[in-house]
Amino acid sequence: MQIRQIAAQQNIPDRYLEQLLATLRRAGLVRSQRGARGGYLLARDPWKITLYDIVSCIEGFDTQADTEKQPSTAEGLVISDVWQEVRQAAETVLQKCTLQDLLERRNARQQLDIMYYI
Amino acid sequence: MQIRQIAAQQNIPDRYLEQLLATLRRAGLVRSQRGARGGYLLARDPWKITLYDIVSCIEGFDTQADTEKQPSTAEGLVISDVWQEVRQAAETVLQKCTLQDLLERRNARQQLDIMYYI
DNA sequence: TGCAAACCCCAGTGGAGAACCGGAGTATAC
DNA sequence: GTATACTCCGGTTCTCCACTGGGGTTTGCA
């Protein structure tokens, strides 16, 4: 798909989407075809890409981001540990969720909507 | 304890800490004693206060914060759902963690440090 | 071959929210 | 009565994210 199409469908400024896709490309999640009739395509199958891959890529997940600036008191270290657990819990949720899952969920929801409409 | 003591120990500007404590007080998590020899104390026992109480109080957890601005497309709703799951996972971790737990962890860590020091 | 359409890179802007002062006021132990 | 604490409120940075702009380079196609 081309940036313009995605931007129009999802209502995102195309210049901004361009940056996001460039980041995803550098992380090897999508591939790009330059030139006229170019565009983007997924680098892997939809069930082999998790939300964790995407999120950790565009929002650079420094696992130790807060550890560095803590004065390493006993309290600070304990707090860091808990935050680490929270982050871990969130990450496992994202890791279990693939693009394929999202797609299926969307289709299921659309089916539901149609039934309600009838 | 008095604001000054906490601020000095944790290396936080006292005027800022004052605001945070005021928020906690309004949420009923701490009580305050005014006047000379005044200060703050926990409103409940340490094992009856969870990290979730604290975090959701000072950083007002709008459960539906992102739902309102999504154009409610099928995609947007699915994304909201996943985010809701992530948030839920993080919250359960915080809900399981009481101040008493943190205290015990800190003490355990301090014991460890002493042993290493020997 | 020319050119338009697409991707590519980099630098900067704007706004929202968190972190952080400052001043003036009020309650209370001593 | 007074010093010491909390209390309220407004303003000031500071940082991060969403977003914009102006240049490229690559490539399909007439």
Side-chain angles (χ1 to χ4, degrees):
Chain A
M1 285 193 72
Q2 298 182 345
I3 283 187
R4 291 225 177 145
Q5 301 173 29
I6 307 176
Q9 278 186 28
Q10 302 299 329
N11 216 33
I12 299 174
D14 49 355
R15 305 296 268 112
Y16 179 45
L17 180 60
E18 190 180 301
Q19 291 179 8
L20 299 181
L21 283 172
T23 308
L24 292 177
R25 189 184 55 80
R26 277 188 282 266
L29 288 175
V30 299
R31 279 182 296 142
S32 62
Q33 176 65 34
R34 299 178 77 149
R37 321 300 266 180
Y40 284 92
L41 67 161
L42 295 180
R44 288 179 259 154
D45 295 317
W47 55 87
K48 288 179 182 168
I49 301 181
T50 71
L51 272 188
Y52 175 78
D53 295 330
I54 300 172
V55 173
S56 66
C57 156
I58 71 169
E59 176 225 341
F61 254 95
D62 326 338
T63 316
Q64 313 281 25
D66 42 353
T67 314
E68 78 213 4
K69 58 177 57 171
Q70 284 295 91
S72 62
T73 70
E75 288 87 357
L77 292 175
V78 171
I79 295 288
S80 294
D81 280 358
V82 176
W83 260 79
Q84 192 69 20
E85 287 177 33
V86 172
R87 177 191 295 273
Q88 182 63 40
E91 286 179 2
T92 51
V93 173
L94 290 178
Q95 277 170 346
K96 279 190 205 146
C97 192
T98 70
L99 290 187
Q100 180 82 20
D101 295 334
L102 290 185
L103 193 61
E104 286 168 6
R105 283 209 216 181
R106 191 199 56 175
N107 292 341
R109 185 181 285 275
Q110 279 179 342
Q111 286 300 324
L112 253 178
D113 288 350
I114 290 174
M115 284 173 61
Y116 279 132
Y117 179 75
I118 295 174
Chain B
M1 286 192 69
Q2 297 181 346
I3 283 188
R4 290 220 177 149
Q5 303 173 28
I6 308 177
Q9 279 184 28
Q10 303 298 330
N11 213 33
I12 298 173
D14 49 355
R15 303 299 265 114
Y16 180 44
L17 180 61
E18 188 180 303
Q19 292 177 8
L20 299 182
L21 283 172
T23 308
L24 292 178
R25 189 185 55 78
R26 278 188 282 267
L29 288 175
V30 299
R31 278 182 296 142
S32 62
Q33 175 64 34
R34 300 178 77 145
R37 320 304 263 178
Y40 283 92
L41 67 160
L42 296 180
R44 287 179 259 154
D45 296 317
W47 55 86
K48 289 179 182 169
I49 301 181
T50 70
L51 272 188
Y52 175 78
D53 295 330
I54 300 172
V55 173
S56 66
C57 157
I58 71 171
E59 177 224 341
F61 255 98
D62 325 339
T63 316
Q64 313 280 25
D66 42 352
T67 313
E68 77 214 5
K69 58 176 59 170
Q70 284 296 91
S72 61
T73 70
E75 288 88 357
L77 292 173
V78 171
I79 295 288
S80 293
D81 280 358
V82 176
W83 261 80
Q84 192 69 20
E85 285 176 35
V86 171
R87 175 191 297 273
Q88 182 62 41
E91 286 180 4
T92 51
V93 173
L94 290 178
Q95 277 170 346
K96 279 191 205 145
C97 192
T98 70
L99 290 185
Q100 180 82 19
D101 295 334
L102 289 186
L103 193 62
E104 287 168 5
R105 283 209 217 181
R106 192 199 57 175
N107 292 341
R109 185 180 285 275
Q110 279 178 343
Q111 286 300 324
L112 253 178
D113 289 351
I114 291 175
M115 287 173 60
Y116 278 133
Y117 179 73
I118 294 174

Short mmCIF file of all heavy atoms in Angstrom, two decimals, chain B residues 1-26:
data_model
loop_
_atom_site.label_atom_id
_atom_site.label_comp_id
_atom_site.label_asym_id
_atom_site.label_seq_id
_atom_site.Cartn_x
_atom_site.Cartn_y
_atom_site.Cartn_z
N MET B 1 5.47 12.12 59.50
CA MET B 1 6.71 12.76 59.04
C MET B 1 6.41 14.13 58.46
O MET B 1 5.30 14.39 57.98
CB MET B 1 7.38 11.90 57.98
CG MET B 1 8.06 10.66 58.53
SD MET B 1 9.10 9.94 57.26
CE MET B 1 10.40 11.17 57.13
N GLN B 2 7.41 14.97 58.47
CA GLN B 2 7.23 16.31 57.93
C GLN B 2 7.76 16.38 56.49
O GLN B 2 8.66 15.66 56.11
CB GLN B 2 7.98 17.31 58.80
CG GLN B 2 7.42 17.36 60.20
CD GLN B 2 8.12 18.37 61.07
OE1 GLN B 2 9.19 18.86 60.71
NE2 GLN B 2 7.53 18.67 62.20
N ILE B 3 7.17 17.30 55.75
CA ILE B 3 7.53 17.44 54.35
C ILE B 3 9.04 17.61 54.19
O ILE B 3 9.66 16.98 53.33
CB ILE B 3 6.80 18.65 53.74
CG1 ILE B 3 5.34 18.28 53.46
CG2 ILE B 3 7.47 19.10 52.47
CD1 ILE B 3 4.60 19.33 52.70
N ARG B 4 9.62 18.42 55.02
CA ARG B 4 11.06 18.69 54.89
C ARG B 4 11.89 17.42 54.99
O ARG B 4 12.82 17.20 54.22
CB ARG B 4 11.51 19.64 56.01
CG ARG B 4 10.96 21.03 55.81
CD ARG B 4 11.99 22.05 56.16
NE ARG B 4 11.49 23.39 55.90
CZ ARG B 4 11.85 24.45 56.59
NH1 ARG B 4 12.71 24.31 57.59
NH2 ARG B 4 11.38 25.64 56.29
N GLN B 5 11.52 16.58 55.95
CA GLN B 5 12.28 15.34 56.13
C GLN B 5 12.20 14.47 54.89
O GLN B 5 13.20 13.97 54.38
CB GLN B 5 11.75 14.57 57.34
CG GLN B 5 11.76 15.35 58.63
CD GLN B 5 11.07 14.59 59.76
OE1 GLN B 5 11.02 13.38 59.77
NE2 GLN B 5 10.52 15.33 60.70
N ILE B 6 10.96 14.29 54.41
CA ILE B 6 10.77 13.43 53.23
C ILE B 6 11.53 14.00 52.05
O ILE B 6 12.24 13.29 51.33
CB ILE B 6 9.27 13.31 52.89
CG1 ILE B 6 8.48 12.88 54.12
CG2 ILE B 6 9.06 12.35 51.75
CD1 ILE B 6 6.99 12.80 53.89
N ALA B 7 11.37 15.30 51.84
CA ALA B 7 12.02 15.94 50.69
C ALA B 7 13.53 15.76 50.75
O ALA B 7 14.17 15.48 49.73
CB ALA B 7 11.65 17.42 50.65
N ALA B 8 14.09 15.92 51.95
CA ALA B 8 15.55 15.78 52.09
C ALA B 8 15.96 14.34 51.83
O ALA B 8 16.91 14.09 51.08
CB ALA B 8 15.97 16.23 53.49
N GLN B 9 15.23 13.38 52.42
CA GLN B 9 15.61 11.98 52.27
C GLN B 9 15.50 11.51 50.83
O GLN B 9 16.34 10.77 50.33
CB GLN B 9 14.73 11.09 53.15
CG GLN B 9 15.16 11.03 54.60
CD GLN B 9 14.31 10.07 55.39
OE1 GLN B 9 13.76 9.11 54.86
NE2 GLN B 9 14.20 10.33 56.69
N GLN B 10 14.44 11.92 50.15
CA GLN B 10 14.19 11.40 48.81
C GLN B 10 14.69 12.33 47.73
O GLN B 10 14.50 12.06 46.54
CB GLN B 10 12.69 11.14 48.62
CG GLN B 10 12.10 10.19 49.65
CD GLN B 10 12.74 8.82 49.60
OE1 GLN B 10 13.18 8.38 48.55
NE2 GLN B 10 12.82 8.15 50.74
N ASN B 11 15.29 13.46 48.15
CA ASN B 11 15.87 14.38 47.18
C ASN B 11 14.82 14.92 46.20
O ASN B 11 14.99 14.89 45.00
CB ASN B 11 17.00 13.69 46.41
CG ASN B 11 18.09 14.66 46.06
OD1 ASN B 11 18.35 15.59 46.83
ND2 ASN B 11 18.71 14.47 44.93
N ILE B 12 13.74 15.43 46.77
CA ILE B 12 12.67 16.01 45.99
C ILE B 12 12.48 17.44 46.48
O ILE B 12 12.55 17.69 47.68
CB ILE B 12 11.35 15.23 46.22
CG1 ILE B 12 11.50 13.78 45.75
CG2 ILE B 12 10.18 15.89 45.51
CD1 ILE B 12 10.30 12.92 46.09
N PRO B 13 12.26 18.39 45.58
CA PRO B 13 11.98 19.76 46.02
C PRO B 13 10.77 19.78 46.95
O PRO B 13 9.72 19.22 46.62
CB PRO B 13 11.70 20.51 44.72
CG PRO B 13 11.68 19.50 43.64
CD PRO B 13 12.40 18.32 44.13
N ASP B 14 10.89 20.44 48.08
CA ASP B 14 9.84 20.33 49.10
C ASP B 14 8.55 21.00 48.67
O ASP B 14 7.46 20.53 48.98
CB ASP B 14 10.33 20.88 50.44
CG ASP B 14 10.99 22.24 50.28
OD1 ASP B 14 11.12 22.68 49.12
OD2 ASP B 14 11.34 22.85 51.29
N ARG B 15 8.66 22.09 47.91
CA ARG B 15 7.43 22.77 47.48
C ARG B 15 6.63 21.90 46.53
O ARG B 15 5.41 22.01 46.45
CB ARG B 15 7.78 24.09 46.79
CG ARG B 15 8.58 25.04 47.59
CD ARG B 15 7.88 25.47 48.88
NE ARG B 15 7.16 26.72 48.73
CZ ARG B 15 5.83 26.81 48.81
NH1 ARG B 15 5.11 25.74 49.03
NH2 ARG B 15 5.24 27.97 48.69
N TYR B 16 7.34 21.08 45.79
CA TYR B 16 6.66 20.17 44.86
C TYR B 16 6.04 19.01 45.63
O TYR B 16 4.88 18.64 45.40
CB TYR B 16 7.67 19.65 43.83
CG TYR B 16 7.10 18.72 42.82
CD1 TYR B 16 5.88 18.98 42.21
CD2 TYR B 16 7.77 17.57 42.46
CE1 TYR B 16 5.35 18.12 41.27
CE2 TYR B 16 7.26 16.71 41.52
CZ TYR B 16 6.05 16.98 40.93
OH TYR B 16 5.54 16.13 40.00
N LEU B 17 6.80 18.45 46.55
CA LEU B 17 6.30 17.36 47.37
C LEU B 17 5.03 17.78 48.09
O LEU B 17 4.10 16.98 48.26
CB LEU B 17 7.37 16.94 48.38
CG LEU B 17 6.99 15.81 49.32
CD1 LEU B 17 6.68 14.55 48.55
CD2 LEU B 17 8.11 15.57 50.32
N GLU B 18 5.00 19.02 48.48
CA GLU B 18 3.83 19.56 49.18
C GLU B 18 2.57 19.36 48.34
O GLU B 18 1.54 18.92 48.85
CB GLU B 18 4.08 21.04 49.41
CG GLU B 18 3.07 21.73 50.28
CD GLU B 18 3.44 23.20 50.45
OE1 GLU B 18 4.55 23.49 50.91
OE2 GLU B 18 2.60 24.05 50.09
N GLN B 19 2.68 19.69 47.05
CA GLN B 19 1.53 19.53 46.16
C GLN B 19 1.10 18.08 46.04
O GLN B 19 -0.09 17.76 46.09
CB GLN B 19 1.87 20.07 44.78
CG GLN B 19 2.06 21.56 44.75
CD GLN B 19 2.46 22.04 43.37
OE1 GLN B 19 2.45 21.26 42.42
NE2 GLN B 19 2.82 23.29 43.26
N LEU B 20 2.09 17.20 45.89
CA LEU B 20 1.75 15.78 45.76
C LEU B 20 1.03 15.30 47.01
O LEU B 20 0.02 14.60 46.93
CB LEU B 20 3.04 14.98 45.55
CG LEU B 20 3.85 15.33 44.30
CD1 LEU B 20 5.05 14.42 44.20
CD2 LEU B 20 2.98 15.21 43.06
N LEU B 21 1.54 15.68 48.16
CA LEU B 21 0.93 15.24 49.41
C LEU B 21 -0.48 15.81 49.55
O LEU B 21 -1.38 15.14 50.07
CB LEU B 21 1.80 15.64 50.59
CG LEU B 21 3.04 14.75 50.76
CD1 LEU B 21 3.97 15.32 51.81
CD2 LEU B 21 2.61 13.35 51.14
N ALA B 22 -0.66 17.04 49.09
CA ALA B 22 -2.00 17.63 49.14
C ALA B 22 -2.97 16.80 48.32
O ALA B 22 -4.11 16.54 48.73
CB ALA B 22 -1.96 19.06 48.63
N THR B 23 -2.51 16.35 47.15
CA THR B 23 -3.35 15.50 46.31
C THR B 23 -3.69 14.20 47.03
O THR B 23 -4.84 13.76 47.04
CB THR B 23 -2.62 15.19 44.99
OG1 THR B 23 -2.20 16.41 44.40
CG2 THR B 23 -3.54 14.46 44.04
N LEU B 24 -2.68 13.60 47.64
CA LEU B 24 -2.91 12.34 48.35
C LEU B 24 -3.89 12.56 49.51
O LEU B 24 -4.71 11.69 49.82
CB LEU B 24 -1.58 11.79 48.89
CG LEU B 24 -0.60 11.32 47.82
CD1 LEU B 24 0.70 10.86 48.46
CD2 LEU B 24 -1.20 10.21 47.00
N ARG B 25 -3.77 13.72 50.14
CA ARG B 25 -4.66 14.01 51.26
C ARG B 25 -6.11 14.12 50.77
O ARG B 25 -7.03 13.56 51.37
CB ARG B 25 -4.25 15.30 51.94
CG ARG B 25 -4.99 15.57 53.26
CD ARG B 25 -4.62 16.92 53.81
NE ARG B 25 -4.86 17.97 52.83
CZ ARG B 25 -6.06 18.47 52.57
NH1 ARG B 25 -7.12 18.03 53.19
NH2 ARG B 25 -6.20 19.43 51.67
N ARG B 26 -6.30 14.86 49.66
CA ARG B 26 -7.65 15.01 49.12
C ARG B 26 -8.24 13.66 48.74
O ARG B 26 -9.45 13.47 48.79
CB ARG B 26 -7.63 15.94 47.92
CG ARG B 26 -7.66 17.41 48.31
CD ARG B 26 -7.83 18.28 47.07
NE ARG B 26 -6.58 18.42 46.33
CZ ARG B 26 -5.73 19.42 46.52
NH1 ARG B 26 -5.96 20.35 47.42
NH2 ARG B 26 -4.62 19.50 45.81
#
